[in-house]
Amino acid sequence: MSWLKNREIAVIGCADTKLELKSGKTALELAGEVTRDLLRSTGVARAEIDGMASTLANAEAHNAFWTNMMADALGLELAWCQASEIGGGSVIGNLVRAGAAIQAGLCEMVLCIAADAPSTKFVTRQSGYREEFCDPLGYGALPISFGLLTSAYAAKYGSPDPGMARLAVAQRAGAVRNDKACEKLRVPITEADYLASRMISDPLRLLDCVMRCDGANACLVTSTARARAMGFDTLVHPVAYREMVNFDPRQDIDDITVTGFSRVGPQALRDAGMTAGDIQSFHPYDDFYIALILQLEQIGFCGPGEASAFLAAHDIGPRGDLPINTGGGQISAGQPGLAGGGVNLIEALRQLRGEAGPRQVARTDTAMVTGIGVIQYARNWGCSNVLILERGA
Amino acid sequence: MTKPKPAIKPTQLTAPFWDAVRDRRFLLQYDPAADRYQFYPRPLSLYSDPGETEWREASGAGTLVACSLCHVPAPGFEAEVPYLLGLVALAEGPRVFAQIEAAQAPAIGTPMRLTWHGEGERTVFKFAPA
């Protein structure tokens, strides 16, 4: 994908709504809100948008015509329109799919949008293995899968609690500095608070878990040439992207803690001509903290079993040497359902654009954003994807 | 309040598995071309093309690979919390998700065996330390 490395695609603006618990709004209303903000902040005329890439929505999952209805609600006439359904990987996946569509000449200006309101309305239903081989045997909720993963990690490497406690404290501090985060979560915590929080699926605690909320996020993607011609000078370029759906389908790897990130993390870094040390801020998809421990180790920030030691040795706050999920991430800002990956992406874009206010990081040349989607049967997760961003010169 | 447990609704593909469960037998799909087993049941073998499979009974022996004490019950399991859930790697290879019967979480790596509970439509499999 030389068009990525050559910085031929640019993000010219981004927006997100306040994250709210039980907002009472529909996903379409939130989509309208974020589109209005994006049009206002970029000054792009709606008629110039000829492509749209959306996520699905838990609140609209009964609607097989979701993206058409969204285009109708937003008043967009589109030459290219798609919804991605790789779960929490969809938001960063859409940014690169938009780039590919522009490169292929299908469209010129793409609205990448994600809106969901699962804390107001949740109509998604699982099927297949989940309905037949998990739920009837006592599988009540996603934290169980991550409790199981944590137990396997702990047996192999020792408890990840020290590293997860550091992440929990740092991300909460980020949410306190982020006025878009859910108000309920904008309260500082200590490592002792984290360790004392009640067990949900032991060894996984309440403060390991993401909280569903309502919200939307969006960005505008076009060719770098077009962005410059339009007069945009603050550009963020996707420079490397790798995606893996259903890693190791034959289950030849006899270790449930080895995820698709062990493949796509090193690949994306190699594509960008970087090592993990070149990443100036890291915005990993965070539904549960054990997923961050595994990403740090498998993308290559540290070796297997070393995440807690790595987190003890590095400052992950906005003034630190490796800022992580500086706006609170999803765990401390809230997870707007299938729009959740945008919490991590928009924060990375804000940081590179220098618009992160009280949590602005010092080094804004590069950032990495990841996605995780779909829980598998007796393994880990179904989609792992990695996006590397660079600020335009 | 305890809700009803979700009913298992076998599909055409999985009906032989659930029929066998009522007889307290645990079936795996076996691919004779690749000499490998798989679980849960899938429409194709994961291990050879074009992917024919046949049913074979599992020995019931395995090893614990993950275990969690669950405080968030599935519908119908409210009265049982907290309960242990685990992943067991069967001697034949595939991993299986099920409740674990033990006073506390056994160590990862503990040898396990399949156990049977209930009758007829309510027959349930679990695993216990061997």
Side-chain angles (χ1 to χ4, degrees):
Chain A
M1 288 188 281
S2 61
W3 51 272
L4 285 176
K5 184 116 192 252
N6 296 338
R7 298 178 161 205
E8 289 174 41
I9 293 295
V11 180
I12 59 173
C14 62
D16 58 351
T17 66
K18 171 81 174 166
L19 296 171
E20 289 181 273
L21 192 58
K22 300 189 170 104
S23 67
K25 295 172 185 167
T26 68
L28 275 181
E29 287 162 0
L30 290 159
E33 208 176 295
V34 80
T35 301
R36 223 164 34 233
D37 278 359
L38 190 60
L39 294 175
R40 189 183 295 125
S41 64
T42 58
V44 169
R46 195 181 333 192
E48 295 194 66
I49 298 172
D50 62 351
M52 184 175 83
S54 173
T55 56
L56 302 180
N58 287 309
E60 299 287 334
H62 55 306
N63 181 355
F65 307 99
W66 167 232
T67 49
N68 269 271
M69 201 167 277
M70 174 134 47
D72 185 47
L74 300 179
L76 296 172
E77 186 177 68
L78 301 172
W80 179 75
C81 175
Q82 78 149 50
S84 293
E85 52 153 15
I86 50 173
S90 300
V91 173
I92 62 171
N94 276 343
L95 197 161
V96 174
R97 284 159 170 73
I102 292 164
Q103 280 294 312
L106 293 168
C107 53
E108 294 186 22
M109 173 76 68
V110 180
L111 172 68
C112 290
I113 187 163
D116 201 355
S119 70
T120 292
K121 182 178 177 186
F122 193 96
V123 293
T124 297
R125 291 183 68 85
Q126 301 276 348
S127 66
Y129 60 81
R130 178 71 195 275
E131 198 174 42
E132 206 173 348
F133 295 99
C134 296
D135 300 351
L137 304 182
Y139 185 95
L142 288 184
I144 290 164
S145 291
F146 289 85
L148 290 168
L149 259 185
T150 308
S151 78
Y153 180 96
K156 190 164 184 189
Y157 300 114
S159 169
D161 281 357
M164 300 204 296
R166 286 185 77 84
L167 288 163
V169 171
Q171 290 201 190
R172 266 308 174 90
V176 172
R177 298 184 196 104
N178 178 7
D179 58 14
K180 295 285 180 72
C182 274
E183 286 308 318
K184 182 178 173 179
L185 300 174
R186 298 186 67 200
V187 181
I189 57 168
T190 64
E191 292 192 13
D193 293 333
Y194 166 82
L195 293 168
S197 72
R198 71 186 162 87
M199 288 293 179
I200 297 295
S201 192
D202 192 345
L204 183 129
R205 299 178 169 82
L206 178 67
L207 290 179
D208 283 309
C209 303
V210 83
M211 181 187 86
R212 282 196 185 113
C213 65
D214 303 345
N217 50 76
C219 62
L220 270 180
V221 178
T222 190
S223 66
T224 302
R226 175 101 189 268
R228 293 209 189 288
M230 291 175 78
F232 287 98
D233 50 12
T234 304
L235 304 183
V236 175
H237 304 288
V239 296
Y241 175 75
R242 288 280 183 159
E243 170 180 311
M244 176 63 61
V245 171
N246 198 31
F247 174 66
D248 189 28
R250 295 161 49 97
Q251 301 175 50
D252 290 326
I253 298 174
D254 191 22
D255 180 350
I256 64 166
T257 68
V258 178
T259 76
F261 286 108
S262 65
R263 180 91 56 83
V264 295
Q267 278 177 338
L269 285 166
R270 202 159 48 237
D271 292 347
M274 295 181 187
T275 65
D278 295 319
I279 300 300
Q280 297 179 349
S281 66
F282 183 37
H283 305 272
Y285 191 95
D286 59 319
D287 40 7
F288 298 90
Y289 282 122
I290 186 64
L292 268 61
I293 297 289
L294 297 178
Q295 288 180 74
L296 283 165
E297 297 178 3
Q298 293 172 22
I299 291 170
F301 290 93
C302 59
E306 295 174 2
S308 283
F310 178 87
L311 289 163
H314 293 268
D315 180 347
I316 59 172
R319 298 272 158 246
D321 54 338
L322 182 63
I324 296 180
N325 280 338
T326 40
Q330 299 182 56
I331 295 179
S332 281
Q335 178 180 57
L338 288 167
V343 173
N344 311 98
L345 173 64
I346 299 294
E347 179 66 11
L349 292 170
R350 285 242 159 78
Q351 290 291 1
L352 297 196
R353 293 171 59 84
E355 295 171 349
R359 58 184 193 280
Q360 180 63 51
V361 304
R363 299 186 303 151
T364 58
D365 297 324
T366 67
M368 179 185 278
V369 192
T370 68
I372 288 177
V374 190
I375 301 308
Q376 297 172 310
Y377 180 81
R379 290 196 273 165
N380 44 72
W381 48 75
C383 170
S384 306
N385 55 357
V386 175
L387 173 68
I388 300 176
L389 299 170
E390 284 182 0
R391 182 169 46 86
Chain B
M1 197 185 81
T2 295
K3 299 171 193 158
K5 287 185 177 170
I8 294 163
K9 294 175 188 147
T11 65
Q12 203 168 71
L13 169 69
T14 63
F17 174 81
W18 293 112
D19 286 347
V21 163
R22 282 197 292 277
D23 298 333
R24 299 193 158 195
R25 294 186 309 129
F26 193 102
L27 296 187
L28 297 169
Q29 284 176 309
Y30 175 70
D31 176 345
D35 188 28
R36 279 185 80 166
Y37 293 85
Q38 65 189 29
F39 189 80
Y40 64 94
R42 289 171 169 85
L44 299 174
S45 167
L46 301 174
Y47 301 111
S48 71
D49 298 329
E52 299 296 331
T53 63
E54 60 191 48
W55 294 103
R56 289 208 183 168
E57 187 172 354
S59 66
T63 307
L64 190 67
V65 299
C67 190
S68 177
L69 183 64
C70 170
H71 298 266
V72 283
F77 289 80
E78 293 82 355
E80 298 174 37
V81 283
Y83 52 88
L84 289 168
L85 292 168
L87 301 178
V88 172
L90 296 178
E92 291 83 359
R95 286 187 291 266
V96 177
F97 169 82
Q99 281 198 44
I100 303 297
E101 273 189 279
Q104 56 187 17
I108 304 304
T110 299
M112 306 293 285
R113 64 182 171 84
L114 199 58
T115 62
W116 293 99
H117 309 265
E119 299 279 326
E121 300 287 333
R122 294 172 177 274
T123 308
V124 175
F125 56 87
K126 300 183 183 181
F127 287 90

